[in-house]
Amino acid sequence: MRARRLVSQSPEISVLGFGSWALGGPWKFGWGPSDDDEGIAAIRHAIDSGVTWIDTAAVYGYGHSEEVVGRAVERYRAGEEVLVFTKCGEPWLDAAGRTHGDGLRPDSIREECEYSLRRLGVERIDLYQFHWPDTRTGTPVEESWGTMAELADEGKIRWAGVCNFSPDLLERCEPIRHVDSVQPPLSLLHPEAREDVIPWALEHGSGVIAYSPMASGLLTGAFDRERLDKLAPDDWRRHAADFQEPELSRALRIVDGLRPIAERLRCSLPTLAVAWALTVPGVTGAIVGARRPAQVDDWLPAGELDLDEETLAEIEQLIAA
């Protein structure tokens, strides 16, 4: 699998990373029932196939996803054979009724970091990220980012990044400590990051990790209105805007247009969708999820697939229509 450098002077990472949101199980921010053993097998299959990093978050399954990731990486040298990325800042309650993740207050960031280290079973988090901008506590982002700089200096984290930040917020962080990476949504349904966040990252030498390149399953070709009706009651996609009209019709139309392209290239629709995200200048890697080992094989070839200019132009027409 191809590899690119996330951070200057850092080791290269595979262009595909394993996203473990769906392994959180049937909690808020979850995807319905999930089998932990199958999830662990999927992670290990991805690593053994050349994927060198895993992306998770404390809030995924209320800590459960991190625990699954921790179990999965026990047999590998974390920080060497596989890198572990996680996030903080989103509030949730554990089984004991204790609140975690009170926005991006400095003390909350530190507390979340310690809990994540324990759940993951690692001595250092390779990439620690703010999950979303703090709109709850009123904490200035400069204070929050200063805490991330301290955690890096203390060796608790290796690199510091942000997700879902605008260029304005990135500009406020950069003078305090370099923003090692940004994580925006990027897919054929939502290519907007090409216009602002990714150009900012290119200009400032920050890595870009694209999330949801398969649009949470919409671009896999396995989704239709009938499947939407069969989603588990606690699957977040039941209420997401992209899974409602008119967005759903647009997504299915794009999928129909992608089918002949995938057939011509002899690849799966997931592979094509992910490979497109990797062609965007400035993108370091893309997060792709799976709940079973077989699902990993659906997108692994994206790490080596070339899309020529004619194919990219054809895809752009689908996006613009």
Side-chain angles (χ1 to χ4, degrees):
M1 184 180 300
R2 292 172 180 159
R4 297 172 182 169
R5 203 172 301 282
L6 178 66
V7 180
S8 176
Q9 307 302 317
S10 76
E12 291 187 331
I13 64 171
S14 57
V15 293
L16 302 180
F18 190 101
S20 64
W21 182 7
L23 304 187
W27 288 270
K28 185 182 177 184
F29 295 107
W31 295 58
S34 180
D35 183 284
D36 290 352
D37 290 336
E38 280 201 313
I40 290 169
I43 291 173
R44 290 176 174 173
H45 178 50
I47 296 170
D48 294 340
S49 301
V51 172
T52 64
W53 52 282
I54 304 168
D55 182 84
T56 185
V59 76
Y60 295 163
Y62 292 177
H64 188 65
S65 175
E66 287 187 331
E67 292 171 350
V68 171
V69 170
R71 289 172 57 195
V73 302
E74 284 176 345
R75 65 167 60 171
Y76 305 94
R77 293 192 304 276
E80 297 178 34
E81 293 178 304
V82 60
L83 306 180
V84 179
F85 303 169
T86 193
K87 314 178 191 77
C88 66
E90 285 295 285
W92 55 279
L93 293 174
D94 63 20
R98 179 170 44 200
T99 300
H100 297 264
D102 186 13
L104 296 178
R105 293 187 299 104
D107 59 338
S108 179
I109 294 168
R110 284 189 167 277
E111 181 184 56
E112 281 210 84
C113 181
E114 294 297 334
Y115 277 113
S116 288
L117 285 166
R118 290 177 211 166
R119 285 190 294 265
L120 293 165
V122 298
E123 295 183 357
R124 178 181 65 176
I125 295 167
D126 292 298
L127 175 63
Y128 203 38
Q129 304 159 96
F130 289 163
H131 206 150
W132 287 89
D134 187 347
T135 59
R136 297 179 61 254
T137 71
T139 305
V141 72
E142 291 84 356
E143 290 184 19
S144 304
W145 194 243
T147 302
M148 289 288 259
E150 293 170 1
L151 290 173
D153 291 341
E154 295 164 14
K156 300 281 188 180
I157 66 175
R158 189 174 187 177
W159 305 309
V162 298
C163 312
N164 304 298
F165 266 41
S166 66
D168 288 344
L169 285 175
L170 293 167
E171 286 287 348
R172 291 169 62 183
C173 293
E174 185 68 13
I176 297 166
R177 184 195 185 278
H178 177 54
V179 179
D180 291 321
S181 71
V182 298
Q183 189 180 133
L186 179 68
S187 70
L188 293 164
L189 297 186
H190 293 288
E192 296 86 0
R194 298 188 299 179
E195 306 303 321
D196 50 16
V197 174
I198 296 175
W200 186 95
L202 266 173
E203 180 182 348
H204 291 82
S206 300
V208 176
I209 299 171
Y211 78 81
S212 202
M214 294 185 289
S216 303
L218 278 174
L219 297 176
T220 64
F223 211 98
D224 54 25
R225 291 178 178 82
E226 182 179 352
R227 185 177 174 191
L228 177 63
D229 293 336
K230 293 179 179 178
L231 288 176
D234 50 8
D235 192 311
W236 70 275
R237 291 174 292 182
R238 278 190 169 275
H239 310 290
D242 284 344
F243 291 78
Q244 315 299 320
E245 297 297 348
E247 288 82 0
L248 179 59
S249 290
R250 176 174 177 260
L252 296 179
R253 175 184 56 74
I254 289 176
V255 168
D256 285 341
L258 291 174
R259 290 186 191 279
I261 301 175
E263 290 176 5
R264 184 175 74 238
L265 298 176
R266 298 182 180 179
C267 70
S268 69
L269 283 170
T271 289
L272 180 58
V274 176
W276 174 85
L278 293 174
T279 68
V280 175
V283 169
T284 310
I287 299 171
V288 275
R291 287 194 275 190
R292 296 178 293 278
Q295 292 177 328
V296 174
D297 294 327
D298 286 339
W299 46 255
L300 270 176
E304 298 179 350
L305 180 64
D306 286 316
L307 300 180
D308 59 30
E309 292 300 321
E310 181 180 349
T311 299
L312 289 173
E314 193 174 352
I315 292 173
E316 286 298 325
Q317 289 181 341
L318 291 174
I319 298 174

